[in-house]
């Protein structure tokens, strides 16, 4: 019966050990502490002692109590120390790195070297190992000839042209500018016709406005002589002949220069005689006064016409297109000019809509313009309108690269394959003769070429990748961040995504997501290392655009370098936009530098640059969406996630502030101390802040069991429990309960580590002392130090070690403050010297060091005094000196009130 009970107990304990081991293994670095020989010896001694006590079966009450404590000691030491199972599994765990490295080499080699899997044994340009003949007659496509014919058809296919909207807009602007210039000149010249065309025909008005001064003077003289002759009764012929004795150019020559001028006979000019007759007729039908007014109006119009002509000449010297070099502009009436402008606009619109290609002969364009103007402008205005249009019209058709390419592809697809007949027994290739591309096509058709895996190429690629991984491992060991196996697996998966998409034929691969995630999760050093090692390997092995590869790597480098400096998802989103602009800019700049962004391909280059920018933005958005899930699955802590966990509105922290206000205040002060020390020592400040906020959440299981939450009330350990062993259990339980709460709320392992490691295996001195006093009074009681020590483990990182020291020193500083206040006026808080506080903290830190609580933390002995000084400085900032206000007498107080 006794043996059955023992075996049942042992089975339960083994099950409990396995459960505890799995829980500790999930926390990763909690099981990384080194196992020493003394730990195993202590475990064996505890186990033997437990078996002896169990088999002795003593009915004595004290013996049963010793047995129970021994069992508890064994269970806890097995949980926190080493075991047979944990030693074996730790060995396997420690050597899993080799397996991960092997998987990395094989997977990267397999993905990047996929083109080496199915290679022919015979290669073009190599000599044939034997003479090979055709086993049967067949028609085989000559791919080289077919491709040559298709290329020829593709090059000779018609280009697809498209209208250039910008060129059309420029042409219309230039045309409107010329028309505006003509309008300005006509405004200077005045309205035309300037008189009633029924009384004075337009042709006569045109002549009167534009004839030279001598002709005008002769005309006036002729009109005057005609009037005088009529008064004397003389005939019109004598009058006309007298007027034909031309008027000398008296106005244009100085009177002081006596010079004879030859008379000019204007009677031969039809316009002259017609104008004289029209004026004479007008005088006869109206009156002398009306004729005088008409002549004055003509004189004024002539002056304006002269000014317009002068401005027209100035315009011709300024503009390169001499469209107004003749007087067609001023000869048109206002109605004709309006029709001319409308006709010019309509003609330009029609011609531009039809399009003007590059290299169009000039005479064809002239004929097209003339044809369009015939029905749209007055006949007299056709030369002017033609000059205007020819001055501004330019080719407005450009090549549509996309449609031309599609058209060329359709034309090439319509070319039938070139088939060559190979007869039975015909020699395909002779032994020793170099194999041509056609020979290889024929051999492929007859399936006479064996395919194989190029193991030598794969081995070379594997060696190159192994060297790259070795460099990565070397860099990893020289950075502060220690990678776990799951971290290495995540780095491998992210790295495989880049060549994986390239081998699938997608050039817009995951460079931006790779850089952003690696930089955010593991820092710039590891991110830049991965990108820097992957870039040359892909450039050498894969057949892809080197410009595209460089553009993607540029975005990844930017993301790796900046990501971990950001503290919000919004900033990461802006970084994704910057990555997109970087990728597009690098592609465009490189294309410009190598000269491929000019000519007819600029449209394609600009489009590809836009696609690279959009791909960078798209993969950045994917990375931002995956980031929270990857953090959960791979148990990662990033600055952004730590900032989210430190939010006081988190459920656990809200409960901590509500249910245990004293513990919450204690937590805030410890966080302040630990943050200051972590910042000075170059540790992860965000991790220290978040971890400290959660390190005492287990106290919520029994808030009144801890003195800071009793608010001056009775201490339950003195009034209710009165058993130091049970009190110690309650105190220690805040660690185990804290771990349960942390797992329930899915806190990261790095945060969970602060819960047990901030206490380590320290002794609960107060209740240990009580137990020793009870043992002195009752010799049957035995005090085992293990009952009064935390289960551990001791701090495994600098961050948890700093929190342990801050937690211990916070209580001491609080007690120092309380003792100073309790003395009263004679010894106030300001009298507590810095030296006293520093001495006390140094003693505490020395005790922790001597108790071997910091041996695995990475903290150095010489840093203890620096940490103590930091804690004292922070404490002084919190409890600084205040101004001593003068005390008022009671009488004054009452009077003032």
């Amino acid at each position: 019966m006794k043996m059955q009970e023992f075996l049942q107990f042992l089975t339960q304990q083994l099950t409990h050990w396995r459960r505890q081991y799995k829980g500790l293994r999930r926390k990763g670095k909690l099981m990384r502490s080194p196992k020493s020989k003394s730990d195993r010896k202590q475990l064996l001694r505890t186990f033997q002692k437990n078996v002896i006590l169990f088999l002795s079966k003593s009915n004595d009450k004290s013996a049963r109590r010793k047995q129970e404590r021994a069992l508890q000691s064994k269970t806890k030491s097995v949980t926190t120390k080493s075991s047979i199972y944990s030693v074996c599994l730790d060995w396997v765990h420690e050597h899993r790195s080799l397996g991960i490295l092997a998987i990395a080499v094989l997977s990267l080699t397999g993905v990047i070297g996929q083109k080496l899997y199915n290679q022919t044994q015979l290669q073009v340009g190599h000599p044939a190992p034997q003479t090979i003949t055709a086993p049967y007659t067949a028609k085989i496509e000559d791919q080289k000839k077919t491709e040559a014919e298709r290329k020829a058809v593709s090059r000779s296919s018609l280009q697809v042209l498209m209208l250039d909207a910008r060129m059309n807009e420029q042409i219309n602007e230039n045309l409107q500018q010329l028309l505006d210039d003509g309008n300005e000149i006509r405004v200077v010249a005045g309205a035309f016709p300037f008189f009633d065309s029924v009384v004075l025909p337009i042709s006569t008005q045109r002549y009167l406005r534009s004839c030279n001064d001598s002709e005008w003077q002769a005309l006036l003289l002729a009109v005057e002589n005609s009037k005088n002759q009529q008064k004397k009764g003389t005939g019109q012929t004598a009058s006309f002949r007298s007027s034909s004795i031309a008027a000398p150019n008296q106005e244009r020559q100085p009177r002081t220069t006596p010079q004879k001028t030859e008379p000019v006979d204007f009677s031969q000019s039809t316009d002259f005689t017609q104008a004289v007759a029209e004026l004479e007729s007008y005088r006869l039908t109206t009156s002398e006064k009306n004729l005088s007014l008409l002549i004055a109006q003509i004189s004024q119009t002539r002056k304006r016409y002269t000014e317009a002509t002068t401005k027209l000449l100035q315009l011709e010297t300024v503009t390169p297109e001499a469209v107004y070099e003749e007087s067609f502009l001023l000869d048109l009436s206002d109605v004709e000019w309006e029709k001319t402008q409308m006709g010019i606009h309509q003609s330009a619109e029609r011609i531009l809509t039809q399009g003007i290609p590059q290299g169009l002969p000039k005479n064809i364009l002239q004929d097209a313009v003339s044809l369009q103007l015939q029905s749209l402008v007055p006949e007299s205005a056709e030369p002017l309108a033609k000059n205007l249009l020819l001055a501004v019209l330019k080719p407005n058709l450009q090549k549509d690269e996309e449609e031309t390419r599609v058209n060329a592809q359709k034309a090439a697809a319509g070319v039938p394959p070139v088939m060559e007949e190979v007869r039975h027994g015909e020699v395909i290739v002779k032994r020793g003769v170099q194999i041509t591309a056609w020979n290889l096509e024929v051999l492929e058709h007859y399936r006479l070429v064996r395919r194989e895996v190029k193991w030598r190429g794969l081995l070379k690629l594997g060696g190159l990748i192994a060297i790259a991984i070795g460099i990565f491992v070397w860099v990893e060991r020289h950075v502060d961040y220690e990678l776990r196996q799951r971290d290495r697996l995540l780095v491998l998966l992210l790295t495989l995504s880049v060549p994986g998409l390239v081998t699938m034929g997608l050039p817009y691969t995951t460079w931006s997501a790779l850089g952003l995630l690696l930089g955010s999760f593991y820092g710039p050093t590891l991110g830049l290392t991965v990108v820097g090692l992957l870039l040359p390997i892909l450039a050498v092995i894969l057949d892809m655009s080197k410009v595209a590869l460089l553009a993607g790597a540029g975005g990844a480098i930017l993301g790796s370098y900046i990501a971990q400096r950001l503290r919000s998802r919004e900033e990461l989103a802006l970084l994704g936009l910057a990555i997109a602009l970087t990728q597009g800019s690098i592609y465009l700049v490189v294309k410009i530098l190598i000269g491929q962004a000019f000519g007819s391909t600029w449209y394609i280059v600009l489009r590809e640059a836009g696609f690279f920018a959009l791909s960078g933005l798209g993969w950045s958005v994917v990375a931002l969406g995956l980031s929270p899930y990857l953090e959960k699955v791979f148990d990662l802590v990033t600055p952004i996630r730590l900032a989210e966990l430190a939010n006081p509105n988190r459920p656990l922290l809200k409960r901590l502030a509500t249910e245990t206000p004293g513990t919450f205040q204690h937590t805030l002060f410890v966080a302040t101390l630990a943050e200051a020390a972590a910042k000075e020592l170059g540790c992860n400040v965000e991790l220290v802040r978040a971890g400290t906020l959660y390190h005492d959440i287990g106290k919520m299981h029994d808030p009144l069991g801890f003195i800071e939450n009793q608010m001056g009330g009775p201490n339950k350990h003195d009034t209710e429990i009165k058993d130091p062993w049970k009190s110690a259990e309650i105190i220690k339980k805040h660690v185990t309960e804290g771990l349960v709460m942390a797992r329930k709320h899915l806190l990261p392992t790095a945060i969970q580590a602060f819960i047990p490691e901030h206490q380590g295996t320290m002794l609960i001195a107060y209740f240990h002392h009580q137990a020793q006093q009870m043992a002195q009074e009752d010799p049957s009681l035995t005090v085992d130090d293990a009952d009064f020590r935390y289960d551990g483990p001791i701090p495994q990182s600098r961050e948890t070690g700093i929190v342990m020291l801050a937690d211990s020193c916070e209580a001491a500083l609080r007690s120092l403050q309380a003792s100073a206040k309790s003395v009263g006026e004679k010894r106030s808080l300001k009298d507590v010297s810095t030296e006293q506080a520093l001495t006390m903290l140094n003693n505490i830190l020395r005790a922790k060091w001597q108790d071997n609580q910091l041996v695995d933390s990475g903290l150095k002995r010489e840093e203890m005094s620096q940490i103590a000084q930091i804690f004292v400085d922070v404490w002084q900032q919190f409890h600084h000196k205040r101004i001593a206000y003068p005390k008022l007498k009671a009488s004054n107080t009452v009077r003032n009130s």
Side-chain angles (χ1 to χ4, degrees):
M1 187 66 181
K2 183 190 304 182
M3 182 60 65
Q4 184 178 1
E5 293 177 359
F6 174 74
L7 292 176
Q8 184 179 2
F9 164 77
L10 186 60
T11 302
Q12 294 175 352
Q13 292 302 316
L14 289 175
T15 304
H16 179 69
W17 297 344
R18 292 192 188 98
R19 189 180 300 112
Q20 291 292 328
Y21 171 76
K22 290 180 181 178
L24 294 174
R25 176 59 64 196
R26 282 196 298 269
K27 294 183 291 181
K29 57 193 287 189
L30 295 181
M31 293 300 296
R32 295 179 190 171
S33 58
K35 311 298 188 297
S36 61
K37 294 182 179 179
S38 61
D39 295 333
R40 288 193 286 271
K41 290 180 180 180
Q42 183 178 358
L43 171 65
L44 294 176
R45 285 198 302 267
T46 305
F47 185 78
Q48 293 172 359
K49 183 177 180 181
N50 173 60
V51 173
I52 294 172
L53 289 174
F54 186 84
L55 295 176
S56 63
K57 190 163 182 165
S58 173
N59 292 328
D60 186 71
K61 182 178 180 180
S62 62
R64 287 180 178 274
R65 196 165 190 173
K66 292 179 181 179
Q67 178 185 359
E68 292 175 359
R69 293 176 188 142
L71 291 175
Q72 294 173 357
S73 175
K74 177 189 72 67
T75 302
K76 290 158 188 172
S77 58
V78 167
T79 302
T80 58
K81 304 295 181 182
S82 165
S83 67
I84 297 174
Y85 298 104
S86 63
V87 170
C88 296
L89 292 177
D90 274 346
W91 185 89
V92 175
H93 177 76
E94 291 173 359
H95 290 80
R96 281 195 304 171
S97 300
L98 297 177
I100 295 292
L101 292 178
I103 293 173
V105 173
L106 292 177
S107 58
L108 286 171
T109 304
V111 173
I112 299 176
Q114 51 87 27
K115 69 176 184 179
L116 301 173
Y117 298 155
N118 193 24
Q119 294 289 319
T120 59
Q121 289 182 338
L122 300 178
Q123 300 291 332
V124 176
H126 292 184
Q130 61 184 12
T131 300
I132 306 175
T133 59
Y136 55 87
T137 302
K139 288 188 176 181
I140 305 173
E141 178 186 358
D142 190 338
Q143 295 182 0
K144 186 175 181 180
K145 292 183 179 179
T146 302
E147 185 66 24
E149 289 193 7
R150 288 176 177 173
K151 285 184 178 180
V153 172
S154 177
R155 286 193 296 267
S156 61
S157 62
L158 294 177
Q159 294 183 351
V160 179
L161 301 178
M162 60 184 293
L163 291 174
D164 189 348
R166 290 182 298 178
M167 179 57 68
N168 286 350
E169 183 179 356
Q170 181 181 354
I171 291 173
N172 289 325
E173 289 179 358
N174 294 338
L175 179 60
Q176 187 61 46
Q177 182 62 43
L178 289 178
L179 294 176
D180 291 342
D181 293 340
N183 286 324
E184 290 180 4
I185 294 173
R186 288 184 61 87
V187 168
V188 174
F192 186 76
F194 56 86
F195 199 72
D196 187 0
S197 59
V198 177
V199 177
L200 200 63
I202 293 178
S203 58
T204 302
Q205 294 186 41
R206 185 180 295 116
Y207 168 74
L208 293 174
R209 186 178 65 164
S210 60
C211 66
N212 54 40
D213 291 341
S214 60
E215 213 168 343
W216 169 246
Q217 295 297 330
L219 189 145
L220 292 178
L221 182 60
V223 172
E224 184 66 23
N225 291 336
S226 175
K227 181 179 68 173
N228 295 332
Q229 290 294 333
Q230 285 182 1
K231 288 181 180 181
K232 295 177 181 181
T234 310
Q236 183 180 359
T237 304
S239 171
F240 184 79
R241 290 184 180 275
S242 62
S243 66
S244 65
I245 302 172
N249 291 334
Q250 297 173 356
E251 296 181 1
R252 299 185 182 181
Q253 296 179 0
R255 295 183 179 180
T256 57
T257 306
Q259 186 178 5
K260 291 183 179 180
T261 54
E262 295 293 334
V264 180
D265 187 6
F266 294 107
S267 61
Q268 302 300 322
S269 172
T270 305
D271 293 334
F272 181 87
T273 57
Q274 181 68 25
V276 172
E278 295 291 345
L279 292 175
E280 184 66 23
S281 175
Y282 179 73
R283 183 178 63 79
L284 294 175
T285 56
T286 58
S287 63
E288 292 289 342
K289 182 179 179 181
N290 290 337
L291 179 61
S292 301
L293 293 175
L294 176 59
I295 292 174
Q297 184 177 357
I298 295 174
S299 299
Q300 184 65 27
T301 302
R302 286 176 56 79
K303 291 180 180 179
R304 300 186 67 175
Y305 182 84
T306 303
E307 294 178 4
T309 305
T310 304
K311 190 168 183 179
L312 183 61
L313 292 174
Q314 294 175 353
L315 179 64
E316 294 300 330
T317 58
V318 175
T319 56
E321 300 89 358
V323 295
Y324 296 124
E325 58 184 354
E326 298 182 12
S327 60
F328 293 120
L329 175 65
L330 299 176
D331 290 343
L332 298 175
S333 66
D334 292 345
V335 175
E336 290 176 335
W337 174 242
E338 290 296 331
K339 292 182 179 179
T340 301
Q341 291 186 89
M342 293 179 60
I344 289 173
H345 280 299
Q346 293 176 3
S347 300
E349 183 178 359
R350 291 179 181 181
I351 294 173
L352 293 178
T353 302
Q354 294 174 356
I356 305 174
Q358 296 283 349
L360 183 68
K362 188 175 181 180
N363 61 331
I364 296 179
L365 181 61
Q366 290 175 349
D367 294 341
V369 170
S370 299
L371 185 63
Q372 290 290 341
L373 293 174
Q374 283 180 358
S375 59
L376 296 177
V377 300
E379 183 178 358
S380 59
E382 286 185 12
L384 175 62
K386 184 176 180 180
N387 289 341
L388 282 170
L389 287 177
L390 291 176
V392 296
L393 289 179
K394 295 179 181 178
N396 67 330
L397 291 177
Q398 62 178 357
K399 182 179 178 181
D400 190 337
E401 298 289 346
E402 186 65 23
E403 291 297 329
T404 301
R405 183 179 60 82
V406 173
N407 192 29
Q409 289 178 350
K410 290 181 180 180
V415 177
V418 178
M419 307 299 292
E420 298 286 346
E421 184 178 5
V422 179
R423 297 185 177 276
H424 174 69
E426 182 179 343
V427 177
I428 300 174
V429 62
K430 293 182 179 181
R431 180 180 180 180
V433 178
Q434 288 187 350
I435 300 174
T436 63
W438 166 245
N439 297 147
L440 191 61
E441 289 179 15
V442 175
L443 294 174
E444 287 277 8
H445 177 80
Y446 287 116
R447 297 183 180 179
L448 297 176
V449 178
R450 292 177 57 189
R451 293 187 174 273
E452 63 180 358
V453 177
K454 294 296 183 180
W455 293 107
R456 180 175 298 179
L458 286 176
L459 288 176
K460 291 180 180 179
L461 177 59
L464 180 62
I465 292 175
I467 294 173
I469 293 176
I471 296 173
F472 173 80
V473 172
W474 182 85
V475 173
E476 174 197 338
R477 293 183 177 179
H478 287 77
V479 297
D480 296 334
Y481 194 92
E482 181 182 359
L483 294 185
R484 303 162 296 176
Q485 302 306 327
R486 67 183 70 182
D487 297 323
R488 297 187 178 96
L489 179 61
L490 177 59
V491 172
L492 175 61
L493 293 176
L494 293 176
T495 305
L496 283 172
S497 66
V498 177
L501 291 180
V502 173
T503 55
M504 293 171 60
L506 183 64
Y508 315 109
T509 187
T510 60
W511 279 111
S512 58
L514 174 70
L516 198 149
L517 291 176
L518 288 181
S520 178
F521 293 161
Y522 306 114
T525 303
L526 290 181
L528 293 174
T529 300
V530 172
V531 175
L533 293 174
L534 186 61
L535 177 61
I537 294 177
L538 297 183
V540 172
I541 303 301
L542 295 183
D543 296 330
M544 64 176 299
S545 171
K546 301 302 183 289
V547 180
L549 197 63
L550 185 62
I557 291 172
L558 179 64
S560 300
Y561 186 73
I562 298 180
Q564 202 173 52
R565 302 181 182 183
L566 307 182
R567 294 295 181 267
S568 68
R569 307 283 180 190
E570 181 181 0
E571 292 178 343
L572 283 179
L574 293 177
L575 176 59
L577 184 60
I579 291 173
L581 294 176
T582 299
Q583 289 192 178
S585 300
I586 291 178
Y587 184 88
L588 184 61
V589 169
V590 173
K591 284 291 186 179
I592 291 175
L593 292 177
I594 62 179
Q596 294 185 6
F598 305 102
S600 60
T601 60
W602 69 268
Y603 173 76
I604 299 177
V605 172
L606 193 61
R607 182 193 62 187
E608 288 297 314
F611 283 160
F612 271 99
L614 290 177
S615 70
L617 181 61
W619 285 118
S620 298
V621 172
V622 171
L624 289 176
L626 289 177
S627 178
Y629 300 102
L630 294 177
E631 291 172 0
K632 291 283 187 181
V633 172
F634 290 91
D635 194 22
L636 297 167
V637 286
T638 61
I640 295 176
R641 191 181 184 193
L642 291 174
E644 294 171 350
L645 290 172
N647 189 337
N649 291 319
R650 301 285 293 190
L652 271 179
L653 297 182
K654 291 181 71 174
R655 282 187 56 196
L656 184 67
T658 304
E659 299 176 14
T660 57
T663 300
F664 186 69
Q665 294 301 321
H666 155 79
T667 298
L668 294 179
F669 190 36
V670 172
T672 304
L673 294 174
E675 277 186 275
K679 184 176 182 180
E680 289 294 328
L681 298 180
C683 300
N684 191 333
V685 179
E686 290 86 0
L687 179 60
V688 169
R689 174 71 177 175
T692 308
L693 291 177
Y694 290 93
H695 81 286
D696 270 346
I697 58 174
K699 291 183 178 181
M700 287 188 289
H701 85 283
D702 188 2
L704 296 180
F706 302 89
I707 191 170
E708 67 265 20
N709 298 315
Q710 294 171 3
M711 304 299 180
N715 191 338
K716 64 184 293 185
H717 296 284
D718 298 333
T719 58
E720 300 177 13
I721 301 175
K722 299 179 181 180
D723 186 342
W725 281 271
K726 291 183 179 180
S727 296
E729 282 297 321
I730 293 174
I731 298 300
K732 290 196 292 182
K733 198 174 181 180
H734 89 275
V735 173
T736 55
E737 290 295 329
L739 289 173
V740 171
M741 292 180 184
R743 292 167 189 157
K744 181 180 179 181
H745 288 78
L746 301 178
L747 293 182
T749 299
I751 300 298
Q752 294 182 26
F754 284 84
I755 298 174
E757 292 181 19
H758 87 278
Q759 296 291 1
T761 57
M762 291 191 301
L763 185 68
I764 306 176
Y766 182 80
F767 294 113
H768 180 261
H769 179 67
Q770 280 189 354
Q772 286 180 333
Q773 288 182 339
M774 293 176 65
Q776 290 177 359
E777 298 174 358
D778 185 0
S780 62
L781 296 176
T782 303
V783 178
D784 189 352
D785 289 352
D787 293 336
F788 297 92
R789 282 191 177 273
Y790 288 97
D791 299 334
I794 60 176
Q796 300 296 301
S797 66
R798 291 166 63 85
E799 287 78 11
T800 56
I802 290 174
V803 174
M804 169 186 273
L805 300 179
D807 186 66
S808 301
C809 293
E810 187 274 341
L813 292 172
R814 191 179 297 274
S815 63
L816 183 63
Q817 173 189 355
S819 63
K821 288 183 177 180
S822 64
V823 176
E825 296 182 3
K826 293 183 178 179
R827 189 173 185 271
S828 62
L829 178 62
K830 65 180 182 180
D831 296 326
V832 179
S833 65
T834 303
E835 289 75 12
Q836 289 176 302
L838 190 59
T839 300
M840 182 178 63
L841 295 191
N842 279 322
N843 292 334
I844 294 174
L845 301 188
R846 188 182 304 110
K848 293 291 184 293
W849 185 268
Q850 293 174 351
D851 194 24
N852 294 325
Q853 297 295 318
L854 303 171
V855 292
D856 294 336
S857 66
L859 294 174
K860 301 177 182 179
R861 180 66 183 86
E862 55 269 18
E863 291 176 335
M864 296 296 104
S865 58
Q866 183 181 357
I867 294 174
Q869 183 63 54
I870 295 171
F871 288 168
V872 171
D873 293 340
V874 175
W875 176 70
Q876 284 184 322
Q877 293 172 4
F878 265 77
H879 305 288
H880 56 274
K881 296 180 180 180
R882 297 181 179 273
I883 298 174
Y885 290 96
K887 295 183 178 180
L888 299 177
K889 295 181 179 180
S891 59
N892 293 338
T893 304
V894 174
R895 186 180 300 112
N896 292 334
S897 62

